[in-house]
Amino acid sequence: MRSLLPLSLFLTLFDTTVYAYVFPFHVQFPRTDSTSSLTRRTPLNVSNIANAQYVSNITLGGVTLSVLLDTGSSDLWVHFPKTVPTDQMTDTGKSITLSYAVGEASGNVQTTRVEFGGITVDDQVFLYVEDTSSFTANIHNQGYDGLLGLGPNQSSVIRKKFKSDSANTFLQRAFSQNKTSDNYITVLLDRKNDPAKQYTGQLSISEVVPGFEAILDMPQLDVETVNRLLKSDQHWQALTDKNAGVIGPDGSPIQMKSIVPKAPKGQYVAVVDSGFTFSQVPRDMSDAIYGRVRGAYYDSTNEWWLVPCGQYLNVSFNFGGRNYPIHPLDLVDDNFSKTDATGKKVCIGSFQPITSAFSMLGHYDMILGMSFLRSTYALFDFGNWIGNTADQDHPYMQMLSTVDPVAARKDFVTVRLGGNDTISDPAWALLPVDQMQHSPVSAEEKKKKYQEMILSRWPYIFVGCLAFVLIAVGLCVWRCCRRRKLRKAREAAGEVPTETKRNFNPFSKKAKRESYAPLDASRSTADLNTPYTPRSFTKEQEFDRQSAAQYSYNGYPSSLNGDYRQSQQPYQQPYSHPPQQGYTQHHV
């Protein structure tokens, strides 16, 4: 994944002195033997661009470039703004498009030597993108030339295309080269314009940043795996605490139903993703955070809340029984110079309703991006995702809070209120619950919600349809068997003649009659003046009568030797036929 910030916001960044706020982002190296393939030689220089992006240097084919650090994806792609080291690259002959929440990167897959903080991997696959306009315009001017995915190997689109270990991700191959190391990375993000800032952003591989060893005592949050049929969508995701996953600004848990079918009741599935500047949360959750703020309103164009910059809010998340408060400077973001219709400065609510980044397959409820990560020190352990190494634990995450609520409040007063603590003034009090504003749901989002509901539950829908078909077929078979059993019982009791059964076939066409019962040969229209009385015949007479084959049709008698004109007499009396008693076969 990547940040959902529109280009217009980044343009506002570059209209100001952005580069005056670039901080070093140091990489800590494990103290290993100098012969180890993971030996670190030089520190990494990484920059924080206006609290919106965190970038690091990487070298491909001898050319050093800045790339975004993205824990929400797994592939490496770059664009060479100047010299392209074609003599150091090998074209695999395959082209790929990498799609993100917003934008995509397309190009040919190449291999070359890749160096990242002293780690060298030969013949590493990467996507060479010549035209980056489909991702965002002029990425080089924004401070980076590509993206390095730090997610699991199984989510790599390039790996899926090649179906070979030679196409594994950079981290997968780096950890595999040293099978005795622990397969984890840690990320510590710094905050721009924080007066109490005590550290710079740091990244470590296979060891903990000095001074933050307490993270090893934090709960190990098992990574929630997605449906095995869709493992390419695997992310760093974990469950919040039951019935208290998110504590709102009024101090009460924000309650809603998870969209993830397998999520336990009262818990949410949260993805931790450094590729998002603003965290993406359910709309009801975003409304609960900002909808009761006096003077706040929803910007339908950009799909976020705009809030008075002096509004102090206290929101926290709970994972593994630990509380992680969000720094108030991150809850209401003032890095993008936004103004309302009157020209007054307003800030962006950094926990944005999740719309265009919808979890279409229902794998997660929210994406916790940089606005969350700046309040924590996070460890991502790949465990047995790497395979064939000493670390065979199930993948997990650990998080250590870096926010002291008392100190954070002082920071907010200093930065947003000019040192004058007016947080408790009635002007900043939250509106009553019955006056809470609700952001509108667009037609497109309604469509996406419906699609998500269907797609996220397709295994259950499929099983339900299959069960319905099996039950219907079973009922039909049961009814047929029951009817046959009842017929046999009736036959045994003498209620149904055996010959009827013998002639009965429900699957055959209707039996064709051989003949109709012969009419009385002595009966004609001449007898219509008197009632008809059936005659009695001896056996010999009956034989003679049948052999004569006399029939009556519409009142005109005919015979083998007779003349129909003999019977033409006036009609005088209606004919009354006795009840028909059945049919007798006539054999000629």
Side-chain angles (χ1 to χ4, degrees):
M1 301 184 195
R2 63 174 283 256
S3 173
L4 289 178
L5 285 180
L7 177 61
S8 58
L9 271 190
F10 285 113
L11 293 179
T12 63
L13 293 177
F14 299 120
D15 286 339
T16 61
T17 56
V18 172
Y19 294 102
Y21 300 106
V22 174
F23 296 94
F25 189 104
H26 302 295
V27 176
Q28 301 294 320
F29 305 119
R31 292 179 289 275
T32 59
D33 186 85
S34 60
T35 60
S36 169
S37 60
L38 291 182
T39 297
R40 311 305 192 264
R41 295 182 177 85
T42 56
L44 263 166
N45 294 318
V46 182
S47 302
N48 169 1
I49 303 178
N51 282 348
Q53 295 171 330
Y54 291 86
V55 298
S56 169
N57 287 341
I58 193 170
T59 301
L60 292 89
V63 177
T64 299
L65 305 168
S66 293
V67 291
L68 295 172
L69 298 176
D70 183 15
T71 60
S73 64
S74 302
D75 292 297
L76 169 64
W77 67 264
V78 297
H79 167 74
F80 295 97
K82 297 179 180 179
T83 304
V84 181
T86 53
D87 58 332
Q88 301 293 322
M89 297 161 46
T90 301
D91 194 338
T92 64
K94 294 187 178 182
S95 59
I96 283 180
T97 297
L98 302 176
S99 298
Y100 298 85
V102 173
E104 59 185 26
S106 301
N108 294 327
V109 179
Q110 310 275 343
T111 63
T112 191
R113 170 176 288 191
V114 175
E115 300 174 61
F116 182 70
I119 306 173
T120 300
V121 176
D122 292 325
D123 299 322
Q124 174 63 45
V125 294
F126 72 98
L127 186 67
Y128 169 43
V129 180
E130 295 188 67
D131 182 7
T132 63
S133 59
S134 60
F135 186 77
T136 188
N138 204 343
I139 63 174
H140 183 71
N141 285 350
Q142 294 185 34
Y144 64 94
D145 298 301
L147 182 148
L148 173 62
L150 302 174
N153 188 56
Q154 62 194 37
S155 295
S156 168
V157 178
I158 296 177
R159 173 67 172 78
K160 184 178 179 181
K161 179 79 171 181
F162 283 78
K163 299 179 180 179
S164 171
D165 290 345
S166 62
N168 285 342
T169 64
F170 176 82
L171 282 178
Q172 176 79 19
R173 297 188 65 191
F175 285 128
S176 297
Q177 288 179 177
N178 187 344
K179 297 181 180 180
T180 62
S181 66
D182 291 323
N183 307 325
Y184 70 80
I185 62 173
T186 72
V187 177
L188 179 66
L189 302 183
D190 65 303
R191 181 178 300 103
K192 189 188 96 169
N193 290 340
D194 183 353
K197 183 187 61 169
Q198 299 175 351
Y199 54 83
T200 58
Q202 300 183 50
L203 171 69
S204 69
I205 301 176
S206 297
E207 83 168 5
V208 175
V209 172
F212 293 87
E213 290 81 5
I215 193 172
L216 299 177
D217 298 325
M218 293 297 103
Q220 294 184 359
L221 307 174
D222 278 349
V223 173
E224 286 294 302
T225 56
V226 300
N227 190 301
R228 293 191 64 84
L229 296 177
L230 302 164
K231 291 182 71 174
S232 61
D233 292 322
Q234 181 67 61
H235 299 294
W236 293 107
Q237 54 191 60
L239 286 169
T240 62
D241 286 356
K242 185 177 181 63
N243 297 326
V246 184
I247 307 301
D250 61 356
S252 301
I254 299 175
Q255 302 289 355
M256 62 194 62
K257 186 177 180 181
S258 171
I259 67 169
V260 182
K262 69 173 185 177
K265 185 177 180 180
Q267 294 181 271
Y268 312 124
V269 178
V271 173
V272 180
D273 187 348
S274 65
F276 278 83
T277 298
F278 294 154
S279 297
Q280 309 292 299
V281 298
R283 180 174 294 279
D284 290 344
M285 186 177 293
S286 181
D287 291 354
I289 295 174
Y290 303 109
R292 293 173 60 189
V293 173
R294 299 175 187 272
Y297 63 96
Y298 187 73
D299 182 349
S300 297
T301 302
N302 293 303
E303 299 181 321
W304 55 43
W305 282 94
L306 291 175
V307 185
C309 293
Q311 180 66 56
Y312 172 85
L313 294 174
N314 185 15
V315 174
S316 61
F317 288 73
N318 290 313
F319 290 95
R322 299 280 182 160
N323 183 253
Y324 298 90
I326 306 302
H327 199 291
L329 292 175
D330 290 329
L331 274 169
V332 180
D333 191 289
D334 70 340
N335 291 289
F336 301 99
S337 302
K338 300 296 292 183
T339 57
D340 61 14
T342 65
K344 183 179 179 180
K345 183 179 179 180
V346 291
C347 291
I348 299 173
S350 61
F351 284 79
Q352 182 180 3
I354 187 168
T355 53
S356 57
F358 240 75
S359 168
M360 292 304 295
L361 294 173
H363 289 162
Y364 51 84
D365 296 293
M366 65 187 82
I367 305 170
L368 301 181
M370 302 173 199
S371 57
F372 171 84
L373 279 171
R374 275 193 294 272
S375 296
T376 65
Y377 172 45
L379 182 150
F380 304 91
D381 193 301
F382 292 77
N384 57 21
W385 275 344
I386 302 301
N388 299 322
T389 64
D391 187 354
Q392 290 300 304
D393 293 329
H394 186 274
Y396 63 86
M397 293 186 291
Q398 290 176 291
M399 293 185 293
L400 176 68
S401 176
T402 58
V403 174
D404 177 350
V406 176
R409 179 183 172 118
K410 292 180 179 179
D411 294 342
F412 186 87
V413 170
T414 300
V415 175
R416 300 290 177 82
L417 300 177
N420 184 19
D421 190 349
T422 59
I423 291 176
S424 300
D425 286 1
W428 299 114
L430 296 176
L431 293 169
V433 176
D434 59 355
Q435 296 182 29
M436 182 175 71
Q437 301 180 68
H438 296 276
S439 56
V441 181
S442 65
E444 180 66 18
E445 185 178 351
K446 290 180 181 178
K447 177 181 177 181
K448 289 178 180 178
K449 284 186 175 181
Y450 177 76
Q451 292 172 338
E452 180 278 324
M453 181 183 67
I454 299 299
L455 292 175
S456 66
R457 289 158 176 79
W458 72 264
Y460 305 95
I461 295 174
F462 174 77
V463 171
C465 292
L466 180 61
F468 174 79
V469 171
L470 292 177
I471 291 173
V473 172
L475 285 175
C476 291
V477 172
W478 175 79
R479 290 193 64 182
C480 289
C481 293
R482 186 172 180 272
R483 292 181 64 180
R484 290 186 62 184
K485 186 176 181 180
L486 290 175
R487 178 170 288 278
K488 287 182 178 180
R490 293 176 64 188
E491 289 176 0
E495 298 178 8
V496 178
T498 305
E499 63 180 272
T500 303
K501 174 197 171 186
R502 191 166 53 244
N503 294 332
F504 175 76
N505 184 354
F507 300 103
S508 65
K509 295 182 179 179
K510 187 175 181 180
K512 186 177 181 180
R513 295 189 180 96
E514 296 184 10
S515 67
Y516 289 95
L519 299 178
D520 195 325
S522 63
R523 187 173 154 219
S524 69
T525 56
D527 302 321
L528 293 178
N529 292 327
T530 58
Y532 171 71
T533 302
R535 296 172 56 187
S536 300
F537 297 94
T538 64
K539 292 183 178 180
E540 291 78 11
Q541 289 174 329
E542 177 69 14
F543 176 79
D544 293 338
R545 187 178 69 84
Q546 294 185 7
S547 62
Q550 294 179 342
Y551 299 91
S552 175
Y553 181 72
N554 291 336
Y556 296 96
S558 62
S559 65
L560 296 176
N561 299 314
D563 189 344
Y564 77 94
R565 289 173 297 181
Q566 298 175 358
S567 63
Q568 294 185 9
Q569 296 184 12
Y571 172 79
Q572 297 179 1
Q573 181 177 342
Y575 166 65
S576 176
H577 194 283
Q580 190 175 19
Q581 300 299 320
Y583 298 107
T584 304
Q585 291 185 350
H586 173 221
H587 300 281
V588 180

mmCIF file of all heavy atoms in Angstrom, residues 451-468:
data_model
loop_
_atom_site.group_PDB
_atom_site.id
_atom_site.type_symbol
_atom_site.label_atom_id
_atom_site.label_comp_id
_atom_site.label_asym_id
_atom_site.label_seq_id
_atom_site.Cartn_x
_atom_site.Cartn_y
_atom_site.Cartn_z
ATOM 1 N N GLN A 451 -20.051 -4.287 -2.430
ATOM 2 C CA GLN A 451 -19.103 -5.219 -3.030
ATOM 3 C C GLN A 451 -18.271 -5.911 -1.953
ATOM 4 O O GLN A 451 -18.026 -7.118 -2.015
ATOM 5 C CB GLN A 451 -18.182 -4.468 -4.006
ATOM 6 C CG GLN A 451 -18.879 -3.958 -5.241
ATOM 7 C CD GLN A 451 -17.981 -3.070 -6.085
ATOM 8 O OE1 GLN A 451 -17.003 -2.491 -5.600
ATOM 9 N NE2 GLN A 451 -18.305 -2.941 -7.360
ATOM 10 N N GLU A 452 -17.858 -5.122 -0.958
ATOM 11 C CA GLU A 452 -17.055 -5.708 0.118
ATOM 12 C C GLU A 452 -17.850 -6.765 0.872
ATOM 13 O O GLU A 452 -17.333 -7.827 1.216
ATOM 14 C CB GLU A 452 -16.610 -4.595 1.069
ATOM 15 C CG GLU A 452 -15.757 -5.068 2.238
ATOM 16 C CD GLU A 452 -16.591 -5.609 3.366
ATOM 17 O OE1 GLU A 452 -17.675 -5.083 3.615
ATOM 18 O OE2 GLU A 452 -16.174 -6.596 3.989
ATOM 19 N N MET A 453 -19.130 -6.470 1.119
ATOM 20 C CA MET A 453 -19.961 -7.420 1.846
ATOM 21 C C MET A 453 -20.061 -8.742 1.094
ATOM 22 O O MET A 453 -20.000 -9.823 1.689
ATOM 23 C CB MET A 453 -21.356 -6.828 2.063
ATOM 24 C CG MET A 453 -22.291 -7.739 2.848
ATOM 25 S SD MET A 453 -23.946 -7.037 3.016
ATOM 26 C CE MET A 453 -24.488 -7.094 1.286
ATOM 27 N N ILE A 454 -20.201 -8.663 -0.234
ATOM 28 C CA ILE A 454 -20.307 -9.886 -1.038
ATOM 29 C C ILE A 454 -18.956 -10.588 -1.132
ATOM 30 O O ILE A 454 -18.834 -11.792 -0.874
ATOM 31 C CB ILE A 454 -20.828 -9.555 -2.451
ATOM 32 C CG1 ILE A 454 -22.227 -8.913 -2.367
ATOM 33 C CG2 ILE A 454 -20.868 -10.814 -3.308
ATOM 34 C CD1 ILE A 454 -23.284 -9.795 -1.734
ATOM 35 N N LEU A 455 -17.920 -9.824 -1.487
ATOM 36 C CA LEU A 455 -16.613 -10.434 -1.714
ATOM 37 C C LEU A 455 -16.004 -10.995 -0.442
ATOM 38 O O LEU A 455 -15.370 -12.051 -0.456
ATOM 39 C CB LEU A 455 -15.669 -9.402 -2.335
ATOM 40 C CG LEU A 455 -16.005 -8.965 -3.765
ATOM 41 C CD1 LEU A 455 -15.077 -7.848 -4.205
ATOM 42 C CD2 LEU A 455 -15.894 -10.131 -4.733
ATOM 43 N N SER A 456 -16.199 -10.288 0.666
ATOM 44 C CA SER A 456 -15.591 -10.751 1.906
ATOM 45 C C SER A 456 -16.240 -12.023 2.426
ATOM 46 O O SER A 456 -15.642 -12.751 3.224
ATOM 47 C CB SER A 456 -15.678 -9.658 2.985
ATOM 48 O OG SER A 456 -17.031 -9.428 3.335
ATOM 49 N N ARG A 457 -17.442 -12.289 1.959
ATOM 50 C CA ARG A 457 -18.152 -13.467 2.448
ATOM 51 C C ARG A 457 -18.361 -14.514 1.360
ATOM 52 O O ARG A 457 -19.202 -15.405 1.501
ATOM 53 C CB ARG A 457 -19.501 -13.039 3.035
ATOM 54 C CG ARG A 457 -19.352 -12.273 4.347
ATOM 55 C CD ARG A 457 -20.550 -11.415 4.664
ATOM 56 N NE ARG A 457 -20.419 -10.764 5.962
ATOM 57 C CZ ARG A 457 -19.686 -9.688 6.185
ATOM 58 N NH1 ARG A 457 -19.011 -9.133 5.196
ATOM 59 N NH2 ARG A 457 -19.596 -9.161 7.387
ATOM 60 N N TRP A 458 -17.599 -14.402 0.265
ATOM 61 C CA TRP A 458 -17.835 -15.334 -0.838
ATOM 62 C C TRP A 458 -17.633 -16.789 -0.452
ATOM 63 O O TRP A 458 -18.364 -17.665 -0.944
ATOM 64 C CB TRP A 458 -16.975 -14.963 -2.051
ATOM 65 C CG TRP A 458 -15.502 -15.240 -1.902
ATOM 66 C CD1 TRP A 458 -14.538 -14.363 -1.528
ATOM 67 C CD2 TRP A 458 -14.834 -16.483 -2.146
ATOM 68 N NE1 TRP A 458 -13.324 -14.966 -1.499
ATOM 69 C CE2 TRP A 458 -13.459 -16.273 -1.880
ATOM 70 C CE3 TRP A 458 -15.245 -17.747 -2.544
ATOM 71 C CZ2 TRP A 458 -12.514 -17.273 -2.005
ATOM 72 C CZ3 TRP A 458 -14.294 -18.756 -2.684
ATOM 73 C CH2 TRP A 458 -12.954 -18.509 -2.410
ATOM 74 N N PRO A 459 -16.672 -17.148 0.442
ATOM 75 C CA PRO A 459 -16.584 -18.576 0.802
ATOM 76 C C PRO A 459 -17.855 -19.072 1.478
ATOM 77 O O PRO A 459 -18.298 -20.196 1.230
ATOM 78 C CB PRO A 459 -15.382 -18.619 1.758
ATOM 79 C CG PRO A 459 -14.594 -17.386 1.461
ATOM 80 C CD PRO A 459 -15.611 -16.362 1.112
ATOM 81 N N TYR A 460 -18.454 -18.211 2.331
ATOM 82 C CA TYR A 460 -19.666 -18.611 3.019
ATOM 83 C C TYR A 460 -20.852 -18.673 2.044
ATOM 84 O O TYR A 460 -21.712 -19.556 2.152
ATOM 85 C CB TYR A 460 -19.958 -17.637 4.153
ATOM 86 C CG TYR A 460 -18.810 -17.475 5.112
ATOM 87 C CD1 TYR A 460 -17.886 -16.442 4.970
ATOM 88 C CD2 TYR A 460 -18.602 -18.382 6.144
ATOM 89 C CE1 TYR A 460 -16.812 -16.297 5.834
ATOM 90 C CE2 TYR A 460 -17.536 -18.242 7.024
ATOM 91 C CZ TYR A 460 -16.641 -17.201 6.854
ATOM 92 O OH TYR A 460 -15.582 -17.068 7.705
ATOM 93 N N ILE A 461 -20.892 -17.723 1.118
ATOM 94 C CA ILE A 461 -21.956 -17.738 0.114
ATOM 95 C C ILE A 461 -21.847 -18.985 -0.760
ATOM 96 O O ILE A 461 -22.845 -19.646 -1.062
ATOM 97 C CB ILE A 461 -21.897 -16.461 -0.743
ATOM 98 C CG1 ILE A 461 -22.194 -15.226 0.129
ATOM 99 C CG2 ILE A 461 -22.886 -16.533 -1.902
ATOM 100 C CD1 ILE A 461 -22.018 -13.902 -0.590
ATOM 101 N N PHE A 462 -20.627 -19.327 -1.147
ATOM 102 C CA PHE A 462 -20.417 -20.516 -1.983
ATOM 103 C C PHE A 462 -20.847 -21.779 -1.239
ATOM 104 O O PHE A 462 -21.568 -22.626 -1.779
ATOM 105 C CB PHE A 462 -18.943 -20.616 -2.387
ATOM 106 C CG PHE A 462 -18.603 -21.883 -3.123
ATOM 107 C CD1 PHE A 462 -18.928 -22.045 -4.460
ATOM 108 C CD2 PHE A 462 -17.960 -22.929 -2.474
ATOM 109 C CE1 PHE A 462 -18.621 -23.211 -5.126
ATOM 110 C CE2 PHE A 462 -17.646 -24.100 -3.124
ATOM 111 C CZ PHE A 462 -17.981 -24.245 -4.467
ATOM 112 N N VAL A 463 -20.422 -21.894 0.018
ATOM 113 C CA VAL A 463 -20.793 -23.074 0.809
ATOM 114 C C VAL A 463 -22.297 -23.127 1.002
ATOM 115 O O VAL A 463 -22.913 -24.205 0.931
ATOM 116 C CB VAL A 463 -20.054 -23.047 2.162
ATOM 117 C CG1 VAL A 463 -20.595 -24.142 3.076
ATOM 118 C CG2 VAL A 463 -18.553 -23.230 1.962
ATOM 119 N N GLY A 464 -22.921 -21.964 1.230
ATOM 120 C CA GLY A 464 -24.365 -21.931 1.413
ATOM 121 C C GLY A 464 -25.112 -22.391 0.170
ATOM 122 O O GLY A 464 -26.075 -23.167 0.256
ATOM 123 N N CYS A 465 -24.662 -21.894 -1.010
ATOM 124 C CA CYS A 465 -25.297 -22.309 -2.266
ATOM 125 C C CYS A 465 -25.111 -23.802 -2.509
ATOM 126 O O CYS A 465 -26.042 -24.504 -2.929
ATOM 127 C CB CYS A 465 -24.723 -21.502 -3.431
ATOM 128 S SG CYS A 465 -25.153 -19.749 -3.402
ATOM 129 N N LEU A 466 -23.907 -24.289 -2.244
ATOM 130 C CA LEU A 466 -23.645 -25.724 -2.435
ATOM 131 C C LEU A 466 -24.511 -26.554 -1.493
ATOM 132 O O LEU A 466 -25.084 -27.578 -1.901
ATOM 133 C CB LEU A 466 -22.159 -26.006 -2.185
ATOM 134 C CG LEU A 466 -21.708 -27.476 -2.352
ATOM 135 C CD1 LEU A 466 -21.958 -27.939 -3.785
ATOM 136 C CD2 LEU A 466 -20.229 -27.618 -2.004
ATOM 137 N N ALA A 467 -24.636 -26.111 -0.245
ATOM 138 C CA ALA A 467 -25.469 -26.842 0.710
ATOM 139 C C ALA A 467 -26.928 -26.847 0.269
ATOM 140 O O ALA A 467 -27.621 -27.865 0.382
ATOM 141 C CB ALA A 467 -25.331 -26.215 2.093
ATOM 142 N N PHE A 468 -27.396 -25.706 -0.268
ATOM 143 C CA PHE A 468 -28.780 -25.637 -0.751
ATOM 144 C C PHE A 468 -29.020 -26.629 -1.878
ATOM 145 O O PHE A 468 -30.045 -27.335 -1.908
ATOM 146 C CB PHE A 468 -29.089 -24.216 -1.221
ATOM 147 C CG PHE A 468 -30.440 -24.070 -1.861
ATOM 148 C CD1 PHE A 468 -31.577 -23.983 -1.082
ATOM 149 C CD2 PHE A 468 -30.569 -24.037 -3.244
ATOM 150 C CE1 PHE A 468 -32.836 -23.858 -1.662
ATOM 151 C CE2 PHE A 468 -31.817 -23.921 -3.839
ATOM 152 C CZ PHE A 468 -32.952 -23.828 -3.045
#
